[in-house]
Amino acid sequence: MTDEPFRPALHLTPPKGWMNDPNGLVKVGDTWHVFYQHDPDSTTHGPMHWGRASTLDFMDWTHHPIALAPEGGWMCYSGSAIETDDGVKVFFTDHKSLPGGQERQNQSLVHADLEVGNFVRDPANPVLPSHGPGVFRDPKVFRHAPTGRWIMLLTTGQQIAIYSSANLVDWTFESTFGATEGFHSDAPWECPDLVELSTPEGETAWMLCVGVASGAPWGGTGTQYFIGDFDGRRFVNRNSADAAHWADWGHDFYAAQSFSRCDGGDAVWMAWASNWVYARQTPTRAFRGALTHPRILSLRKGQDGLRLVQRLPDPLRSALPEVSLGDVSCPPACRCAFTLAPGEGLSLFGAATPQLQNSVDGRRLIVNRREAWAEGVAPGFAGTHAVLDGEGPLRGEVYLDHGIVEICLEDGGLWITELSFPERVDVAPRIVGLRG
Ligand code: FRU
């Protein structure tokens, strides 16, 4: 599908229509199954369906018929999927908009076979009805081995609710997390996930992540995470309640979800590569929206405790053609390693000003998207933001795919995902000097 310049070659996009959050990520056998928020009939957010695709390698995608469609005015909002002894179980939010701008949201269960097809809604639906109008959505279900129970995470506004179940149908409320922790704005938290990770030395901890629907440091949506302990009932943050940790420091990494997998392999997640501020206006034609590359998750112990590390899975990374800085041109999907000394920047797509700048004193990293959209700019897209109090040279690798830019720094400890809509997507990255 290369019908338009900003259709990525490797990242998952819908054949046509709208895409937002990844949903129901589940690995069964060798196959990675991906659903996504989808409107097949328009390129903007509308009556939400679940689109469906699968892959063995995150490069070649097979598209399948739509898995879930609205019924009786109830839309299919985000959720998750798990493999059980009795097939694959899918949980999603039945959503209805009410007069006066309110919303009604219930959690429903759908049965599927191990090919992840033949979807049948459970007669007991909704298995977890809401108590009234308001945010009550995005069920992420997983097995908690020590207690032998299923856990469901939901967003209930600016906090996460945790439920447990022995049979996937009857759910018991356990606890909430987050009302006074981490970053809050005037918008809800969305799409929670909770996964146990480890350091290379074998130390383990749980990572809880949530999408923050607006007000992230760069503007609009962002994904924050907490490191802590989870006993099957309650999540306890190991860090200060005031601290906010961001899984990605770019505009375009949202609603991240980890794959449910029974094979004991590494945790892997994907996110929606866009931002609610301008997601409905990006300049594609037949489709709108893409998922990020998958990233393998782990932890690293630093001076401030445990922090999230993300890496591209190796078969995918090594399949990307390697481009050297200063090459005249490059394939639109490629990777390029770089080192930025203080006072240097990384220029992408032939832009006059660099998109990534290591400040002259080497203490701040600036992301600049002022020139990243050739034809026009939606509000909230252009601009610059500072990333961290770094120091010295910055080593990293940039992954490009027709305007999707994913930058990995600090050996996976810092990521920046940014969409670009340049005149040409085949100009190789180069390093430029900045003036003091
Ligand atoms: C996050 C989100 C979810 C919701 C879905 C609707 O981007 O707002 O909270 O379920 O998108 O499409």
Side-chain angles (χ1 to χ4, degrees):
M1 282 182 291
T2 53
D3 50 336
E4 40 188 313
F6 304 121
R7 167 88 76 182
L10 303 171
H11 291 75
L12 179 65
T13 53
K16 69 177 181 67
W18 165 269
M19 165 194 274
N20 58 292
D21 314 349
N23 291 157
L25 304 187
V26 59
K27 187 179 187 210
V28 181
D30 291 334
T31 305
W32 304 84
H33 296 269
V34 174
F35 302 83
Y36 53 89
Q37 287 287 280
H38 182 42
D39 184 353
D41 299 318
S42 88
T43 49
T44 189
H45 192 259
M48 283 296 101
H49 299 57
W50 276 35
R52 183 183 163 217
S54 61
T55 185
L56 292 169
D57 58 9
F58 296 105
M59 290 177 270
D60 285 321
W61 292 92
T62 304
H63 292 276
H64 303 280
I66 283 170
L68 299 175
E71 282 184 10
W74 290 87
M75 301 180 194
C76 306
Y77 266 21
S78 285
S80 56
I82 45 167
E83 182 186 343
T84 71
D85 294 341
D86 181 33
V88 168
K89 308 293 171 192
V90 173
F91 289 86
F92 73 98
T93 298
D94 257 324
H95 164 95
K96 195 174 229 172
S97 297
L98 303 174
Q102 289 198 308
E103 44 197 8
R104 187 89 198 199
Q105 299 178 335
N106 301 316
Q107 317 320 315
S108 287
L109 164 62
V110 178
H111 304 270
D113 58 27
L114 284 175
E115 306 292 308
V116 197
N118 292 315
F119 301 96
V120 178
R121 293 186 184 220
D122 195 285
N125 280 337
V127 291
L128 185 51
S130 62
H131 299 302
V135 173
F136 187 65
R137 63 172 180 259
D138 304 341
K140 174 68 167 123
V141 175
F142 65 94
R143 180 104 184 137
H144 183 250
T147 53
R149 288 184 306 171
W150 301 98
I151 305 298
M152 183 190 287
L153 264 62
L154 290 169
T155 168
T156 59
Q158 293 204 18
Q159 63 181 2
I160 300 309
I162 299 174
Y163 289 77
S164 70
S165 172
N167 61 8
L168 295 172
V169 173
D170 303 302
W171 291 93
T172 305
F173 171 78
E174 297 288 356
S175 63
T176 58
F177 171 79
T180 56
E181 314 243 3
F183 180 88
H184 289 266
S185 61
D186 56 0
W189 287 5
E190 301 182 305
C191 299
D193 200 349
L194 180 57
V195 59
E196 191 172 25
L197 302 176
S198 57
T199 65
E201 296 76 35
E203 185 173 348
T204 62
W206 289 80
M207 192 247 343
L208 186 149
C209 82
V210 290
V212 177
S214 81
W218 39 84
T221 41
T223 301
Q224 73 171 327
Y225 72 90
F226 303 87
I227 300 291
D229 299 291
F230 179 62
D231 62 1
R233 293 182 189 284
R234 199 167 286 282
F235 176 82
V236 180
N237 187 4
R238 285 194 196 171
N239 292 301
S240 141
D242 302 334
H245 301 290
W246 298 98
D248 193 292
W249 277 83
H251 287 82
D252 298 306
F253 186 89
Y254 195 58
Q257 184 177 115
S258 63
F259 280 85
S260 169
R261 59 189 299 183
C262 296
D263 60 2
D266 293 328
V268 175
W269 72 1
M270 299 174 84
W272 176 39
S274 196
N275 187 311
W276 276 119
V277 172
Y278 48 76
R280 298 171 179 88
Q281 288 151 281
T282 51
T284 49
R285 291 194 285 265
F287 80 99
R288 192 177 272 133
L291 300 190
T292 63
H293 279 317
R295 298 179 191 167
I296 296 178
L297 306 179
S298 62
L299 297 173
R300 182 182 296 148
K301 190 151 198 159
Q303 279 173 345
D304 305 330
L306 296 173
R307 294 290 176 267
L308 182 64
V309 174
Q310 306 170 65
R311 289 209 176 77
L312 230 58
D314 208 30
L316 168 62
R317 182 180 168 274
S318 20
L320 293 172
E322 194 174 355
V323 168
S324 299
L325 289 165
D327 281 358
V328 176
S329 66
C330 69
C334 63
R335 69 187 152 105
C336 180
F338 62 86
T339 302
L340 294 181
E344 286 184 340
L346 184 71
S347 167
L348 301 174
F349 311 116
T353 46
Q355 206 145 353
L356 196 65
Q357 310 174 359
N358 193 0
S359 61
V360 174
D361 61 4
R363 299 186 66 85
R364 264 182 334 145
L365 181 61
I366 312 291
V367 183
N368 176 0
R369 215 166 47 164
R370 281 196 294 246
E371 291 179 39
W373 188 331
E375 296 292 319
V377 165
F381 185 90
T384 57
H385 69 268
V387 165
L388 78 170
D389 284 334
E391 212 159 343
L394 284 162
R395 269 175 216 89
E397 191 162 51
V398 56
Y399 308 108
L400 300 171
D401 189 358
H402 292 78
I404 300 183
V405 179
E406 291 176 74
I407 302 171
C408 171
L409 294 148
E410 296 183 346
D411 288 326
L414 174 68
W415 281 76
I416 301 169
T417 303
E418 296 269 305
L419 294 180
S420 287
F421 303 104
E423 236 156 80
R424 288 184 52 188
V425 291
D426 58 348
V427 182
R430 66 197 162 90
I431 301 269
V432 294
L434 310 169
R435 272 200 247 114

